[in-house]
Amino acid sequence: MNALRRLALCGLLLLSAIAHAGEIDLPADVRAEAQILRGERDSYWEKRLVVRFPEARRTLSTSDGLLDARAALNHAGHPQLWHKLGIEFMGRDGRGGKAYGEYIHTGTARELQLAKSAVAHMATAADMDNLAVVTKRHGLLTVTVLATAGAKSNAIRTGVDAGTYIEGSEPAGTINILVLTNIRLTDAALARALITVTEGKTAALQDLQVASTYTPAVQATGTGTDSIIVVSGIQGPQASYTGGHSRIGELIGKASHEAVIAALGKQNGLFLPGSQRFAATTETPPKAPESLRLALLHLDAVPGDIAGNRARIEAGIGEAIGRGADWIVTPELAETGYNFAKRIGTDWIAPYPDAWMSKLAAIARDNRVALFVGFAERDAKSDKLHNSVAVIDRDGTLRGTYRKQRPVGSVEAWSTAGTGGAPFVIDGIPVGVLICADTWRPEPAARLREQGAAILLAPSAWPPVDGMGPGDVWERRSAETGLPLVVNNRTGREPELDFSTGESVIATGGERRFVFAAKQTRLFFVDWDRRQGFSQPAP
């Protein structure tokens, strides 16, 4: 019994439950329709980009060779789905991953009522929702590139890295590029286009400074499982050459380069230097040369609204940068909201660092600002979940995470307690990080003081609650350690808890020097001179 038959018998029906289809706008003159079909298999997402043509198109595919295609397919499966099927079938005939991909290829052709030989195909573990679509035009010429890309686990440098037999293995990091043209391409032009596309892809990896996964000291040229499909148009004039000296080759190269950069930004959080720089403002309050400006993002985080909270955080960071901030601190669980787990669960939490964290690193790098961001962390090795703060230095270096040592109640039952940690050195200053209830007892702050911390930052989600603090906890920790304690609280309301009375506090020497509160999201600023203490910048 072959692998395809076994897949069917195991009940892996081809996207039997399509959640919805998303249409993609393409230029009219490439004469194609594209949509993303989304579904689920074994509780994992499965998505397909299907591009259809009204007539047969001469096509060159690195998976199928030359064919007269009526459709092109880019099939995406969740990484764990590829892994699961790869293990299940690799031991039987060595074709686990490939059997799965071929099954999807065959089933998609059947759905489209086409021969399998009329559907060009490729596969990936990159999320199809991170697809990049780029169109370039010149005169009568149109080129559209649709690309998915992942390069964090499988990037290689051809000519340096060793090859291994991968027939049938899952695509662990893949750059897939589909090229559509409006004009007719000869078979020779289709073949030459593969070189042009590859040059554009490699230039994108070079510009993004993507290193080989296997030889990190060298620049990557691609991944070990990249695929390309080039589809000829049907209009005149006909092109017989698509190299960089031709106009059509220029468009193919530029569109491929731009699409790969955009796709890697979405999938892996890789961005060109300077691309995440926020515009400067002329309203920046003056600051003494010896001072650091701390921005406290007193955020109204919506529980479970990950995309919305990320956008709010990025907007707050941009505003803080415009006001001259050096360090920017969010509240506890700013990315997720506090009571997120009961709404959206925890399966979605990606191993740290995920693409968004990499994007924040690019923002920190391009704006020369340090970030302290509250988020839900999945440990990449242990798979344990933590209520954490990510610390990102001014050069974009991910310094690591601090994990909350004292998760509170059933709301934080998803979180594994951290075991402490050392100060992070930012701007030459040892910074101790605590999260909310970690300040309830004196030991965590005392340990950080013993390890040389010069300041304590405590992202929190802690409104005044009778019998539950915070009371004078923060003042006592500052008195006991002799260190300034900066508490950045949150605001807003969740159905289970009202945070709108929460206070952000600067405590030194056992006293509250500054107290900030607001009913809505707001930024508060303090300037810190290690010799002179804290002051508020002019409005």
Side-chain angles (χ1 to χ4, degrees):
M1 185 185 302
N2 64 35
L4 300 185
R5 177 64 175 163
R6 284 200 301 270
L7 277 169
L9 291 179
C10 287
L12 297 175
L13 302 178
L14 179 67
L15 287 172
S16 57
I18 298 295
H20 62 283
E23 301 292 333
I24 298 171
D25 289 332
L26 297 177
D29 54 352
V30 300
R31 290 179 53 81
E33 295 181 353
Q35 61 180 178
I36 296 175
L37 305 177
R38 297 174 175 85
E40 187 176 284
R41 186 188 304 279
D42 286 8
S43 300
Y44 296 108
W45 58 255
E46 193 173 54
K47 306 173 187 180
R48 295 173 295 165
L49 169 67
V50 177
V51 182
R52 310 183 200 197
F53 315 117
E55 63 282 305
R57 299 286 183 85
R58 196 63 169 164
T59 298
L60 181 59
S61 162
T62 54
S63 298
D64 311 285
L66 274 168
L67 65 159
D68 294 316
R70 289 292 307 274
L73 165 69
N74 189 2
H75 157 228
H78 189 286
Q80 289 301 315
L81 184 58
W82 284 104
H83 182 67
K84 177 180 183 294
L85 294 176
I87 290 177
E88 183 173 350
F89 291 97
M90 190 64 71
R92 302 185 188 185
D93 60 8
R95 287 170 44 87
K98 188 169 184 178
Y100 169 43
E102 288 294 335
Y103 181 71
I104 297 296
H105 185 197
T106 300
T108 301
R110 186 183 305 117
E111 286 183 26
L112 299 176
Q113 298 182 333
L114 296 173
K116 183 180 176 183
S117 59
V119 180
H121 83 291
M122 48 192 175
T124 181
D127 193 332
M128 199 57 63
D129 289 338
N130 293 328
L131 176 75
V133 182
V134 175
T135 295
K136 297 292 183 182
R137 302 177 185 273
H138 185 273
L140 298 177
L141 306 178
T142 301
V143 171
T144 295
V145 168
L146 302 94
T148 54
K152 280 204 168 181
S153 61
N154 193 26
I156 66 169
R157 182 173 182 85
T158 300
V160 173
D161 293 326
T164 57
Y165 182 73
I166 63 168
E167 184 78 18
S169 67
E170 62 269 19
T174 297
I175 300 174
N176 283 351
I177 301 172
L178 170 60
V179 180
L180 307 174
T181 67
N182 68 325
I183 66 168
R184 293 191 302 273
L185 303 180
T186 65
D187 288 353
L190 290 170
R192 183 59 179 82
L194 297 183
I195 298 176
T196 304
V197 170
T198 300
E199 289 171 339
K201 173 197 72 178
T202 301
L205 294 171
Q206 182 176 10
D207 291 345
L208 290 169
Q209 301 176 7
V210 177
S212 165
T213 304
Y214 309 97
T215 313
V218 301
Q219 170 74 53
T221 55
T223 83
T225 49
D226 294 348
S227 294
I228 302 171
I229 296 173
V230 184
V231 181
S232 172
I234 60 170
Q235 302 176 10
Q238 177 174 278
S240 59
Y241 174 68
T242 50
H245 288 304
S246 67
R247 187 66 73 181
I248 189 69
E250 174 196 343
L251 300 182
I252 292 171
K254 286 182 175 179
S256 299
H257 177 265
E258 187 175 323
V260 170
I261 286 175
L264 286 172
K266 293 180 178 182
Q267 179 72 27
N268 292 154
L270 299 174
F271 297 93
L272 293 174
S275 65
Q276 299 303 301
R277 185 175 297 123
F278 287 98
T281 175
T282 58
E283 301 175 358
T284 302
K287 178 182 62 178
E290 300 81 10
S291 293
L292 288 171
R293 179 158 295 163
L294 279 61
L296 309 182
L297 180 55
H298 199 72
L299 181 70
D300 179 1
V302 178
D305 183 13
I306 306 304
N309 290 332
R310 288 175 174 177
R312 295 176 192 103
I313 291 167
E314 291 176 30
I317 290 172
E319 182 181 346
I321 289 167
R323 301 269 293 171
D326 297 295
W327 298 359
I328 303 172
V329 188
T330 79
E332 174 185 12
L333 294 176
E335 178 199 28
T336 59
Y338 190 62
N339 286 277
F340 76 92
K342 67 183 291 185
R343 293 171 169 82
I344 60 172
T346 59
D347 289 346
W348 62 272
I349 301 173
Y352 170 85
D354 64 5
W356 184 62
M357 202 57 62
S358 297
K359 181 179 182 180
L360 292 182
I363 290 172
R365 174 199 67 199
D366 289 350
N367 297 280
R368 304 298 299 172
V369 65
L371 304 176
F372 302 83
V373 180
F375 76 114
E377 176 189 4
R378 183 182 298 275
D379 186 281
K381 294 182 179 179
S382 70
D383 206 43
K384 291 180 178 179
L385 302 176
H386 301 276
N387 179 345
S388 299
V389 169
V391 179
I392 308 175
D393 212 339
R394 289 177 183 267
D395 62 357
T397 300
L398 294 163
R399 292 297 179 194
T401 64
Y402 170 82
R403 295 165 174 175
K404 189 174 185 179
Q405 300 178 50
R406 194 173 185 269
V408 178
S410 60
V411 175
E412 296 182 51
W414 59 271
S415 173
T416 301
T419 56
F424 300 90
V425 178
I426 305 294
D427 288 327
I429 301 169
V431 180
V433 178
L434 300 166
I435 298 176
C436 199
D438 290 344
T439 60
W440 182 254
R441 299 185 62 82
E443 291 82 7
R447 283 194 294 268
L448 289 169
R449 177 68 180 90
E450 291 168 0
Q451 294 179 83
I455 187 173
L456 301 175
L457 302 183
S460 300
W462 197 351
V465 177
D466 290 343
M468 298 178 62
D472 63 351
V473 164
W474 300 325
E475 295 93 308
R476 285 190 280 135
R477 297 297 87 85
S478 72
E480 294 159 357
T481 61
L483 300 177
L485 173 60
V486 178
V487 178
N488 184 41
N489 221 325
R490 60 158 295 177
T491 188
R493 294 175 181 265
E494 296 186 4
E496 300 83 359
L497 196 56
D498 181 4
F499 296 95
S500 64
T501 57
E503 296 174 328
S504 294
V505 171
I506 311 296
T508 64
E511 296 184 13
R512 294 191 175 197
R513 305 297 180 181
F514 297 97
V515 178
F516 308 105
K519 299 292 186 182
Q520 295 85 31
T521 296
R522 185 174 171 184
L523 276 164
F524 298 106
F525 296 89
V526 290
D527 290 348
W528 179 46
D529 184 308
R530 295 184 65 178
R531 294 172 299 176
Q532 302 297 323
F534 290 89
S535 61
Q536 278 192 272

